[in-house]
């Protein structure tokens, strides 16, 4: 180890510094430097690597001996066995990485955001870092086992997921009648040690490219599909997911080139093309009956209708340059005609002089760049149109056509699978929190359409390297980095929104981005971050999870697909992988009270979500996001209401919070007024209702009788205001929780959830310190009667005050007997 610190690192800096000076020499210089680096360090690197490898082997032997001792005393060793498997995986991976520096370097170089010389440096360090991390995994597991053997901690019994009947209940999955949380990893091999450590979800993909020119699924593809289903059933990989991709076959494009007009990144064809519709029906009819039929009766299935669908149409948006097809334009004009009936009505609103609906456009039709590809010109100028009727109508129509597309997909997969299996959609996690609505995602409609709500949500840790995309939070006054150990609100807000609309639907994150994403990387993800962020997900309503990603073969080799680099990602981080397997075991051991408790939570403050303002006002989403974060950090049950759901709220138990909502339909105001007139309370923040949905001034501002009015502010100012104004309106919890900083001042950052455990006043409370700083948590019962709280892991009796480190999670229980 001393050799690494004293010799390798300084010489890396010398050589790589030289590389920087001569960077202009390009690839030739790179090859020279790589040759020099390899030659200079080969012998000494080998000695150091072998020494580290031996140390890992010795630590693993100690771990296995402790496991045997623990097993002989009947203790739970499944978490420790995950650590053994993790070490074995990364011993293999580190050896491959050490022996294949050129391939590792090539893979790392695909992440273009990090440049040379660092790419070379990271590739060289990787196998050593992996072995050192294996030592951390072994040390942690050994320490935990020693505490178990000494009787200082007791791990809850883990579920056996290898066998048992799985079914989808209300809000969560069950195995033999007991709630549990299915899990897996993307691209995880179907080997028992993987399955036992990281979870068991079955899946196989399909796409139009599977259709032959004779318009039926290739027999070899169908055979592989059937084999996949049978193997999943044999290994109890549940539920089994039919993953629907959206890539056309080459012969399709050759026959009808226009099917790619309007294509997007993961939907590589025009969703309005009648050819696509016909082929999709043939795809379902020719494979789903036999494919789904290969699974046993009652085996849980699921259709994932799309991967990260988006149909951005604003100029500069994600692949908006692919334009829109003629079919889309025909549908758009038909939609406008159905809405306005007469062209004069549209002209009056738009300030135009069209003679018929067939002339209506929303883009600059004179752009000479697209003279030979006119479909590409069909991009809307957000800067010129947002806030007006053209933008509103286009975004509304785009949502309409996408809603119709997903309804079509759902109809045909369920009509052909023999059982009408539930459908889900992997929605982009920022769909709610981003301030654009030109992508066609009608969140409310699609949430209701799905049987299992789906998304891929992002959580990002403090200390990560960010690369600009989707980073609103760098402001020194309002950034999450000033307050929290990780950026949690995108995940929590999407879950709370979904569960507000459909509390009895399960939620599946099929590409969880808590380990990495396109926009950020972290090269040393901590165990505590993994535990805290995943506990946060399941406390807020996650039911099933599949993180991004595992990209190695069984011999440790890096996945050859160059689109997916491993730089700073999960397949290079033993501690993070070990922590993931462990936290899912832990969550499943507590799922019996956690899953139903989360589904039954009461939401006392409902933020009013208005699609009109989301479409028209770029500041609308950040406005309700700040208010949401403040309510969440005051540990008040929070959710979302829409014009279609607000009238069904409880007037006695739920209060509507209206953040600045400038653009709104008359009907959306009426829904709020109806709620209020029936006894509901509405808290107003700032000013609202200045314009209708088209951006026209309201001659008379709609009136809501004011219950409470507050000034618009930031998350921090809202916390202060809401603590004073809203907290007194919320029914008292069984356990009162007060959060201070280390100086004794009122603070925030510890997320607390309470779960009643019986009719006699029992409670389980989960405390999760999201703050980047330590917090002091005071626990008190309203009647001032001292009652013992027990830590469900250490079994210690907890006093009324806890000192919590950043990212610390505590699970406490109090049982009351008659």
């Amino acid at each position: 180890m001393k050799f690494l610190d004293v010799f390798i690192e300084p010489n890396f800096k010398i050589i790589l510094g030289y590389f920087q000076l001569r960077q202009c020499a390009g690839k030739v210089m790179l090859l020279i430097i790589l040759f020099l680096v390899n030659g200079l360090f080969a012998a000494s690197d080998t000695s150091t690597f072998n020494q580290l490898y031996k140390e890992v082997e010795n630590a693993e032997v100690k771990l296995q001996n402790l496991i045997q001792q623990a097993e002989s005393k009947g203790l739970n060793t499944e978490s420790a066995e995950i650590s053994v498997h993790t070490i074995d995986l990364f011993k293999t991976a580190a050896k491959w990485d050490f022996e294949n520096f050129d391939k590792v370097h090539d893979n790392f170089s695909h992440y273009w955001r990090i440049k040379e010389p660092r790419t070379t440096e990271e590739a060289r360090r990787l196998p050593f870092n992996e072995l050192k991390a294996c030592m951390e995994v072994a040390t942690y597991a050994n320490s935990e086992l020693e505490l178990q053997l000494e009787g200082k901690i007791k791990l809850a019994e883990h579920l056996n997921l290898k066998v048992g009947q799985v079914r989808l209940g209300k809000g969560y999955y069950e195995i033999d009648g007991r709630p549990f949380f299915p899990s897996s990893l993307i691209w995880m091999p179907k080997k028992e040690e993987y399955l036992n450590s990281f979870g068991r979800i079955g899946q196989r993909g399909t796409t139009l490219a599977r259709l032959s020119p004779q318009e039926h699924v290739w027999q070899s593809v169908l055979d592989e599909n059937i084999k996949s289903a049978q193997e999943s059933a044999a290994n109890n990989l549940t539920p089994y997911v039919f993953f629907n991709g959206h890539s056309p076959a080459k012969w399709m494009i050759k026959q009808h080139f226009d099917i790619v007009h309007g294509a997007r990144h993961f939907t590589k064809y025009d969703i309005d093309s009648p050819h696509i519709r016909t082929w999709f029906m043939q795809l379902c009819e020719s494979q789903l009956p036999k494919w789904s039929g290969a699974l046993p009766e009652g085996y849980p299935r699921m259709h994932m209708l799309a991967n990260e669908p988006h149909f951005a149409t604003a100029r500069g948006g994600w692949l908006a340059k692919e334009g829109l097809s003629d079919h889309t334009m025909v549908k758009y004009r038909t939609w406008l005609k159905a809405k306005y009936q007469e062209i004069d009505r549209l002209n009056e609103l738009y300030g135009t002089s069209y003679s018929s609906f067939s002339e209506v456009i929303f883009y600059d039709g004179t752009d000479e760049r697209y003279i030979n590809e006119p479909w590409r010109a069909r991009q809307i100028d957000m800067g010129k149109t947002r806030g007006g009727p053209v933008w509103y109508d286009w975004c509304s129509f785009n949502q309409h056509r996408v809603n119709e597309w997903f309804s079509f997909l759902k109809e045909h997969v369920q009509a052909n699978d023999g059982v009408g299996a539930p459908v889900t959609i992997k929605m982009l996690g920022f769909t709610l929190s981003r301030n654009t609505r030109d992508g066609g995602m009608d969140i409310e409609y699609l949430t209701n359409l799905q049987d299992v709500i789906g998304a891929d949500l992002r959580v990002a840790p403090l200390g990560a390297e960010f690369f600009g995309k989707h980073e609103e939070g760098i402001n020194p006054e309002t950034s999450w980095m000033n307050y929290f150990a990780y950026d949690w609100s995108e995940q929590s807000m999407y879950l709370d929104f979904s569960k507000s609309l459909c509390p009895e639907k399960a939620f599946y994150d099929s590409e969880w981005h808590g380990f990495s994403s396109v926009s950020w990387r972290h090269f040393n993800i901590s165990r505590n971050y993994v535990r805290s962020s995943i506990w946060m997900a399941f406390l807020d309503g996650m039911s099933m999870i599949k993180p991004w990603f595992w990209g190695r073969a069984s011999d440790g080799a890096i996945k050859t697909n160059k689109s997916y680099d491993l730089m700073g990602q999960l397949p290079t981080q033993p501690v993070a992988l070990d922590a993931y397997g462990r936290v899912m075991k832990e969550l499943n051991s507590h799922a019996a009270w956690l899953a139903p408790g989360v589904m039954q939570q009461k939401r006392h403050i409902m933020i009013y979500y208005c699609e009109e303002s989301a479409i028209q006002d770029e500041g609308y989403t950040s406005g309700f996001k700040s208010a949401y974060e403040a309510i969440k950090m005051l540990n008040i049950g929070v959710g979302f209401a829409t014009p279609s759901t607000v009238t069904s709220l409880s007037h006695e138990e739920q209060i509507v919070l209206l953040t600045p909502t400038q653009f709104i339909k008359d009907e959306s105001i009426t829904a709020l007024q109806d709620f209020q007139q029936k006894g509901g309370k509405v808290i107003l923040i700032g000013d609202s209702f200045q314009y209708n949905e088209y951006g026209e001034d309201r001659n008379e501002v709609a009136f809501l009788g004011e219950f409470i009015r507050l000034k618009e502010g930031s998350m921090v100012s809202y916390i202060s205001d809401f603590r004073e104004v809203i907290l007194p309106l919320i029914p008292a919890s069984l356990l009162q929780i007060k959060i201070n900083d280390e100086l004794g001042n009122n603070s925030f950052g510890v997320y607390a959830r309470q779960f009643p455990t019986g009719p006699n006043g029992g409670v389980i409370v989960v405390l999760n310190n999201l703050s980047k700083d330590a917090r002091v948590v005071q626990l008190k019962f309203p009647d001032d009667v001292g009652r013992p709280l027990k830590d469900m892991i250490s079994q210690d009796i907890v006093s009324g005050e806890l000192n919590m480190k950043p990212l610390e999670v505590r699970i406490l229980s109090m049982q009351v007997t008659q």
Side-chain angles (χ1 to χ4, degrees):
M1 298 300 293
K2 187 175 180 181
F3 176 83
L4 276 175
D5 296 332
V6 175
F7 183 72
I8 292 182
E9 299 296 341
N11 282 280
F12 258 131
K13 291 176 181 177
I14 293 171
I15 291 177
L16 296 173
Y18 175 72
F19 175 80
Q20 285 179 305
L21 291 174
R22 300 299 304 274
Q23 195 170 16
C24 60
K27 292 184 178 180
V28 173
M29 180 58 69
L30 173 60
L31 291 173
I32 294 172
I33 293 300
L34 294 181
F35 176 79
L36 291 173
V37 169
N38 277 319
L40 180 61
F41 296 130
S44 55
D45 271 9
T46 300
S47 175
T48 305
F49 181 85
N50 289 339
Q51 179 184 343
L52 264 176
Y53 195 91
K54 185 63 177 177
E55 291 175 7
V56 170
E57 287 185 320
N58 292 338
E60 187 178 14
V61 169
K62 178 183 177 181
L63 173 56
Q64 290 170 330
N65 289 336
L66 285 172
I67 288 174
Q68 290 179 355
Q69 293 178 42
E71 287 177 339
S72 69
K73 295 189 176 184
L75 299 176
N76 182 350
T77 63
E78 288 195 37
S79 290
E81 287 163 1
I82 291 174
S83 296
V84 170
H85 175 50
T86 300
I87 292 169
D88 284 340
L89 279 175
F90 276 96
K91 281 165 52 184
T92 303
K95 187 174 182 181
W96 191 92
D97 294 341
F98 182 74
E99 294 172 350
N100 294 274
F101 167 77
D102 55 339
K103 294 179 182 178
V104 175
H105 178 269
D106 180 61
N107 180 273
F108 278 20
S109 67
H110 297 311
Y111 191 60
W112 56 270
R113 289 171 174 82
I114 294 179
K115 309 294 185 183
E116 290 291 0
R118 187 175 168 193
T119 303
T120 298
E121 186 176 3
E122 293 290 348
R124 174 62 67 188
R125 288 175 173 170
L126 178 62
F128 301 97
N129 289 341
E130 288 170 331
L131 290 180
K132 286 186 281 187
C134 284
M135 291 296 296
E136 289 185 40
V137 169
T139 299
Y140 181 88
N142 287 334
S143 297
E144 182 183 70
L145 282 168
E146 287 167 353
L147 290 172
Q148 286 181 264
L149 289 165
E150 293 168 9
K152 293 182 178 179
I153 63 171
K154 182 180 179 180
L155 302 184
E157 288 303 313
H158 293 160
L159 286 177
N160 179 11
L161 304 179
K162 297 179 184 179
V163 295
Q165 178 63 48
V166 175
R167 63 178 291 271
L168 175 59
K170 287 187 175 181
Y172 48 84
Y173 281 88
E174 298 174 341
I175 183 164
D176 291 337
R178 190 183 189 281
F180 87 108
F181 304 121
S183 66
S184 186
L185 288 170
I186 290 175
W187 297 325
M188 190 179 78
K190 294 181 180 64
K191 296 175 65 176
E192 186 55 40
E193 56 266 36
Y194 279 96
L195 301 175
N196 191 50
S197 294
F198 308 118
R200 324 172 79 89
I201 296 173
Q203 178 172 301
R204 183 169 171 83
T206 187
T207 181
L208 289 188
R210 301 286 190 262
L211 277 180
S212 72
Q214 291 73 40
E215 300 183 349
H216 59 74
V217 172
W218 296 98
Q219 185 61 47
S220 59
V221 170
L222 182 58
D223 291 343
E224 286 298 315
N225 291 347
I226 292 171
K227 180 181 177 183
S228 167
Q230 292 171 337
E231 289 178 347
S232 290
N235 290 283
N236 211 34
L237 308 187
T238 54
Y240 185 84
V241 181
F242 305 97
F243 183 11
N244 185 42
H246 292 281
S247 298
K250 292 180 180 179
W251 66 264
M252 296 175 178
I253 300 173
K254 186 175 181 180
Q255 285 186 13
H256 303 281
F257 182 74
D258 64 336
I259 66 171
V260 297
H261 297 175
R264 293 299 185 267
H265 190 63
F266 291 114
T267 305
K268 300 181 182 298
Y269 48 64
D270 171 25
I271 63 173
D272 296 317
S273 168
H275 300 296
I276 294 296
R277 302 295 178 103
T278 299
W279 288 326
F280 186 80
M281 287 187 288
Q282 291 168 338
L283 179 71
C284 293
E285 292 166 3
S286 63
Q287 69 173 347
L288 275 177
K290 292 183 179 179
W291 187 5
S292 180
L295 293 166
E297 183 177 355
Y299 201 87
R301 302 155 169 85
M302 183 192 302
H303 298 279
M304 188 185 299
L305 297 182
N307 172 49
E308 297 183 350
H310 71 94
F311 302 91
T313 49
R315 187 171 298 138
W318 193 11
L319 291 187
K321 64 183 180 181
E322 299 298 326
L324 296 161
S325 72
D326 293 344
H327 299 295
T328 301
M329 295 307 296
V330 169
K331 291 180 76 170
Y332 170 59
R333 289 158 178 155
T334 301
W335 181 86
L336 287 174
K337 185 174 183 179
K339 178 176 181 177
Y340 291 103
Q341 300 296 314
E342 302 293 336
I343 193 64
D344 289 344
R345 293 176 62 191
L346 180 144
N347 283 330
E348 183 180 359
L349 181 63
Y350 282 23
T352 52
S353 56
Y354 297 119
S355 60
S356 71
F357 286 100
S358 63
E359 297 177 1
V360 179
I361 59 175
F362 53 83
Y363 56 92
D364 183 358
T366 64
D367 194 327
E368 295 182 357
R369 292 176 299 172
Y370 306 115
I371 192 72
N372 296 319
E373 298 177 310
W375 69 89
R376 294 191 186 277
R378 295 164 183 162
Q379 305 171 49
I380 192 165
D381 189 324
M382 181 165 60
K384 291 182 179 179
T385 60
R386 192 171 198 176
V390 175
W391 175 265
Y392 181 78
D393 274 348
W394 169 255
C395 289
S396 298
F397 164 73
N398 201 27
Q399 291 183 352
H400 165 80
R401 79 183 185 104
V402 173
N403 290 347
E404 189 272 333
W405 166 246
F406 280 111
S407 298
F408 165 82
L409 296 180
K410 179 176 180 177
E411 175 188 355
H412 288 283
V413 296
Q414 290 187 332
N416 287 280
D417 68 5
V419 294
V423 304
T424 189
I425 303 169
K426 190 196 295 182
M427 299 276 283
L428 286 159
F430 53 71
T431 303
L432 178 63
S433 55
R434 282 273 183 95
N435 65 0
T436 55
R437 290 294 182 272
D438 66 297
M441 296 293 106
D442 183 341
I443 310 173
E444 181 174 10
Y445 181 93
L446 295 175
T447 298
N448 287 315
L449 180 72
Q450 297 171 82
D451 305 298
V452 174
I453 308 167
D456 64 340
L457 303 173
R458 193 198 76 158
V459 182
L462 200 63
E465 297 181 43
F466 291 92
F467 301 96
K469 183 180 177 183
H470 188 37
E471 278 312 303
E472 308 94 337
I474 310 301
N475 186 298
E477 295 181 3
T478 62
S479 167
W480 64 267
M481 298 177 183
N482 292 320
Y483 308 106
F484 300 111
Y486 55 93
D487 186 5
W488 54 271
S489 67
E490 175 188 297
Q491 170 178 273
S492 291
M493 191 162 68
Y494 200 101
L495 286 163
D496 277 326
F497 183 93
S498 304
K499 290 291 190 170
S500 299
L501 297 181
C502 303
E504 294 189 346
K505 289 183 180 180
F507 193 106
Y508 178 27
D509 190 326
S510 54
E511 191 178 321
W512 187 71
H513 282 287
F515 293 118
S516 64
S517 77
V518 173
S519 64
W520 68 269
R521 299 293 167 91
H522 194 295
F523 290 81
N524 190 22
I525 290 176
S526 76
R527 179 180 302 279
N528 290 340
Y529 158 74
V530 175
R531 184 170 182 243
S532 175
S533 60
I534 294 181
W535 261 99
M536 191 71 178
F538 284 86
L539 286 169
D540 284 336
M542 189 80 74
S543 312
M544 177 174 165
I545 192 170
K546 195 173 192 180
W548 176 263
F549 65 96
W550 184 253
R552 289 186 183 270
S554 57
D555 64 352
I558 287 175
K559 189 175 177 67
T560 56
N561 190 328
K562 293 183 178 181
S563 300
Y564 306 105
D565 68 278
L566 269 60
M567 194 173 195
Q569 305 221 54
L570 186 64
T572 64
Q573 300 199 43
V575 171
L577 183 67
D578 181 56
Y580 170 66
R582 283 169 164 269
V583 73
M584 290 312 305
K585 290 283 188 185
E586 180 180 56
L587 282 162
N588 273 319
S589 69
H590 294 287
W593 57 264
L594 179 60
V598 168
M599 190 190 73
Q600 295 161 10
Q601 78 154 314
K602 293 184 177 180
R603 302 180 188 275
H604 297 293
I605 300 295
M606 307 297 287
I607 297 172
Y608 196 60
Y609 178 81
C610 175
E611 189 66 30
E612 301 93 87
S613 272
I615 288 172
Q616 294 282 41
D617 181 5
E618 69 174 333
Y620 176 68
T621 56
S622 62
F624 69 67
K625 181 181 177 184
S626 296
Y628 167 83
E629 292 170 344
I631 299 166
K632 196 80 169 174
M633 287 300 95
L634 288 170
N635 291 311
I636 299 170
V638 60
F640 289 83
T642 67
S644 62
T645 66
V646 68
T647 55
S648 64
L649 300 181
S650 167
H651 305 136
E652 293 78 24
E653 295 185 351
Q654 294 177 302
I655 299 170
V656 171
L657 182 70
L658 181 74
T659 59
T661 305
Q662 296 185 19
F663 300 82
I664 189 167
K665 292 179 181 178
D666 290 340
E667 302 94 304
S668 300
I669 297 176
T670 300
L672 266 179
Q673 291 171 330
D674 288 348
F675 169 75
Q676 191 177 59
Q677 289 167 4
K678 293 175 182 177
K681 299 179 179 67
V682 180
I683 297 175
L684 307 178
I685 294 179
D687 297 320
S688 294
F689 308 158
Q690 290 93 329
Y691 314 106
N692 66 13
E693 67 268 35
Y694 302 112
E696 296 177 315
D697 291 336
R698 290 188 179 278
N699 295 327
E700 184 177 335
V701 177
F703 176 75
L704 285 176
E706 292 190 20
F707 174 60
I708 294 173
R709 181 180 287 273
L710 299 171
K711 292 182 179 180
E712 188 175 358
S714 65
M715 178 198 70
V716 175
S717 67
Y718 282 149
I719 287 176
S720 178
D721 291 344
F722 294 171
R723 183 181 280 125
E724 180 179 343
V725 173
I726 295 181
L727 267 182
L729 305 174
I730 305 303
S733 301
L734 180 60
L735 190 63
Q736 293 180 349
I737 299 172
K738 190 172 184 296
I739 301 163
N740 295 328
D741 62 22
E742 291 182 292
L743 299 177
N745 301 311
N746 252 352
S747 194
F748 61 89
V750 177
Y751 182 50
R753 289 293 308 274
Q754 298 185 45
F755 302 90
T757 57
N760 301 316
V763 65
I764 293 174
V765 58
V766 182
L767 304 171
N768 188 358
N769 187 10
L770 313 184
S771 173
K772 68 182 183 63
D773 301 310
R775 290 288 181 259
V776 178
V777 181
Q778 295 176 346
L779 307 169
K780 189 174 99 172
F781 290 94
D783 55 13
D784 287 327
V785 174
R787 301 177 192 173
L789 285 163
K790 185 171 70 172
D791 188 299
M792 294 181 71
I793 295 176
S794 69
Q795 306 299 303
D796 291 338
I797 300 301
V798 177
S799 68
E801 186 170 287
L802 290 173
N803 294 300
M804 295 190 69
K805 299 175 182 177
L807 299 172
E808 185 175 2
V809 179
R810 299 291 296 273
I811 312 166
L812 313 175
S813 71
M814 182 202 68
Q815 302 297 327
V816 176
T817 58
Q818 290 183 331

